[in-house]
Amino acid sequence: MLILQIVVLALIQGITEFLPISSSGHLLLVPVLTGWPDQGVLTDVMVHMGSFLAVIVYFWKDCVKLLMGLIDMARGQKNAWGRLALLIILGTIPAVVLGVILDKLGFMDLVRQMPIIVAWNAIIFGILLYVCDRFGMIQRRMADMTAMPALIIGMAQAVALIPGVSRSGISMTAARALGFERPDSARFAFLLGIPAIAGAGVLKLGEALHTGATISTSMILTAVLTFFVALGTITVLMKLIRHMSLLPFAIYRVGLGVILLALIYSGMPLGAVN
């Protein structure tokens, strides 16, 4: 890949993975809007792994506590962190099940050729993000998380397998609709995404390598750059979200969707990725 393409992909993935605006949708649009060759699924996996490592680093204290909590639960010692770890595992199940089904049906390869899906999802879920954030009650915190809310948020996260939805966006939307505060909604969304991103990344990476694909130096470089951009993005977002609503992200999503639809229906050849 060109150096410019590496930098662009890293910036897009690192910024959009954790902002509620859909990283997969933006990655899908890069070759469509630039004319560059499609970076391919393996590159997408590598940049997602860069994002994954950024979450682990930022939330390393939470990750250690979750792991120790699970170990304590296995020993028969109940505690809050072990309980939260089990809720995260529960919330991950819908994405795993739906992901396997869609992958077997070849759905993910199909949607890579349909930018119009990204456009409509950007608009629909952008409006939903605003509505749930604006009118959602603020009455719950992370400590109030139980099995049913975790499962509902997990089911919402599963929908983000469709490009343009946004994993963090739909997870925060569901959490806000259920009455969780913005910072806790974002925190749970990020923690919930750890096993989902890791699992999908390992699966796709294994499949690609099994077919003979190789990880190039440019892919590794892209992943490394993504890690640093993503780490910065999480840091900034977690500070901003304590003092601002999700309205700017909703406006961006709707604006992006409208522009893409205008380009598509004007006849610009955005219907397939080269």
Side-chain angles (χ1 to χ4, degrees), residues 23 28 34 56 71 77 94 114 132 154 157 162 166 176 196 255 262 273:
S23 63
L28 195 158
T34 63
I56 295 295
I71 294 175
Q77 302 173 8
M114 302 178 65
C132 292
Q157 177 181 247
I162 305 173
S166 171
R176 291 291 295 118
V273 177

Side-chain angles (χ1 to χ4, degrees), residues 110-162:
L110 176 63
V111 295
R112 287 182 68 83
Q113 303 179 39
M114 302 178 65
I116 193 170
I117 292 179
V118 175
W120 279 112
N121 282 339
I123 295 173
I124 294 171
F125 289 96
I127 294 173
L128 189 61
L129 175 68
Y130 166 73
V131 171
C132 292
D133 182 59
R134 174 65 178 81
F135 299 103
M137 297 179 64
I138 302 177
Q139 58 186 15
R140 290 177 169 180
R141 303 202 65 181
M142 186 82 82
D144 301 315
M145 184 66 66
T146 58
M148 187 54 68
L151 186 59
I152 292 174
I153 297 172
M155 293 172 66
Q157 177 181 247
V159 178
L161 290 168
I162 305 173

